[in-house]
């Protein structure tokens, strides 16, 4: 599998509710479309120039070298950048902080590129580095990972590209109110398109735990968006 970062961080799902009944497939499909639509604005927004400049500076290290593998790695980073930045924004609810996080992720990924196994999941490897960096920063600031006081929810707003879509703003607000670990799992699987196995690698937990978190997150989000009634879940 791909190389793991030096630190994995996870916490008990203190805010997770008991398992809900399985959502009807039609509701899951509709919820998936809404999640993808809400996330699309982040994916399609051009990365800030400073991140592109950083990759160009890293690429300058290759000057005078015949390193096709390093050049290919650099191109892969560029291709992964929009999705990586979207993941960072969805976790921090702050574009400036997210860009700082992505910058640190790019620097670490470049320094550790020999640890990445070609042919494995680069997106998952980068998301692992980014997530570990975020949790390291949180611990340094002695802040709780869980968003019990609603601070994340208060900041989680639609990105600029979606500011005129009230439905998408509503989706983002409710995503922001999900328990942190459920939110991460849902975004990794439902928005980033990772498999449960890859998401488990990113979050440093069992596959079954990821499936449970995604299921609970879907149920909470569907309920809060009024997409399904108790009768439909019976």
């Amino acid at each position: 599998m791909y190389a793991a970062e030096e630190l994995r961080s996870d916490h008990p799902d203190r805010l997770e509710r008991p398992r809900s009944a399985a959502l009807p497939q039609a509701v899951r499909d509709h919820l998936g479309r809404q999640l993808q639509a809400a996330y699309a604005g982040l994916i399609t927004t051009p990365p800030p120039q400073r991140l592109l400049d950083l990759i160009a500076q890293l690429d300058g290290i290759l000057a005078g070298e015949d390193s096709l593998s390093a050049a290919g790695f650099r191109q892969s980073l560029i291709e992964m950048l929009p999705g990586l930045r979207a993941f960072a924004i969805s976790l921090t609810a702050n574009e400036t902080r997210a860009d700082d996080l992505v910058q640190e992720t790019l620097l670490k990924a470049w320094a550790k590129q020999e640890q990445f196994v070609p042919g494995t999941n680069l997106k998952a490897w980068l998301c692992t580095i980014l997530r570990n960096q975020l949790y390291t920063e949180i611990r340094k600031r002695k802040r709780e990972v869980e968003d019990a006081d609603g601070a994340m929810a208060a900041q989680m707003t639609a990105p600029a590209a979606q500011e005129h879509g009230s439905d998408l703003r509503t989706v983002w607000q409710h995503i922001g109110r999900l328990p942190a670990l459920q939110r991460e799992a849902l975004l990794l699987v439902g928005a980033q398109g990772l498999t449960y196995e890859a998401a488990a690698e990113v979050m440093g937990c069992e596959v079954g735990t990821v499936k449970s978190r995604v299921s609970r997150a879907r149920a909470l989000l569907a309920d809060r968006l009024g997409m399904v009634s108790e009768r439909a879940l019976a």
Side-chain angles (χ1 to χ4, degrees):
M1 201 51 84
Y2 39 84
E5 257 289 291
E6 66 273 13
L7 177 65
R8 288 184 180 276
S9 174
D10 219 336
H11 291 258
D13 299 0
R14 294 190 293 270
L15 298 184
E16 292 189 10
R17 297 180 179 179
R19 182 184 295 275
S20 302
L23 290 173
Q25 186 61 47
V27 174
R28 291 181 58 183
D29 291 344
H30 181 58
L31 184 63
R33 288 192 294 270
Q34 284 205 305
L35 182 61
Q36 289 289 342
Y39 214 66
L42 297 182
I43 296 292
T44 57
T45 299
Q49 189 60 42
R50 70 163 166 136
L51 294 180
L52 295 175
D53 289 344
L54 173 62
I55 293 179
Q57 291 170 11
L58 294 174
D59 194 35
I61 299 173
L62 301 177
E65 297 182 13
D66 183 16
S67 179
L68 293 178
S69 60
F73 187 78
R74 185 262 301 164
Q75 183 58 39
S76 295
L77 289 183
I78 293 175
E79 293 172 358
M80 292 290 118
L81 188 54
L84 191 64
R85 184 172 184 264
F87 185 51
I89 292 174
S90 68
L91 294 183
T92 64
N94 182 296
E95 290 194 32
T96 299
R97 187 181 177 199
D99 288 341
D100 290 341
L101 193 58
V102 172
Q103 179 171 299
E104 287 300 314
T105 300
L106 293 176
L107 288 170
K108 285 193 172 186
W110 189 269
K112 298 174 179 292
Q113 61 184 281
E114 73 284 351
Q115 296 182 14
F116 176 71
V117 180
T120 58
N121 196 326
L122 178 61
K123 180 186 291 186
W125 188 68
L126 292 172
C127 285
T128 301
I129 297 174
L130 187 148
R131 182 178 184 273
N132 287 342
Q133 177 65 26
L134 173 62
Y135 277 57
T136 297
E137 293 177 4
I138 289 173
R139 285 197 299 275
K140 286 181 179 179
R141 296 170 185 172
K142 297 182 180 180
R143 287 164 53 178
E144 290 296 325
V145 173
E146 300 293 354
D147 185 35
D149 62 359
M152 175 68 80
Q155 298 178 65
M156 183 69 82
T157 57
Q162 300 174 353
E163 61 184 1
H164 300 299
S166 60
D167 289 343
L168 296 183
R169 284 202 305 273
T170 298
V171 172
W172 270 115
Q173 288 166 358
H174 286 301
I175 289 173
R177 294 188 178 99
L178 292 173
L181 297 177
Q182 291 183 18
R183 180 171 60 246
E184 289 178 12
L186 181 64
L187 291 172
L188 286 169
V189 174
Q192 290 284 351
L194 296 186
T195 64
Y196 287 116
E197 291 76 13
E201 287 281 348
V202 172
M203 300 187 74
C205 63
E206 299 296 326
V207 174
T209 301
V210 174
K211 290 182 177 180
S212 175
R213 289 173 183 170
V214 171
S215 177
R216 292 167 191 265
R218 282 173 175 157
L220 278 174
L221 194 55
D223 179 64
R224 291 171 180 176
L225 291 172
M227 294 172 60
V228 63
S229 65
E230 291 184 5
R231 182 177 179 182
L233 288 173

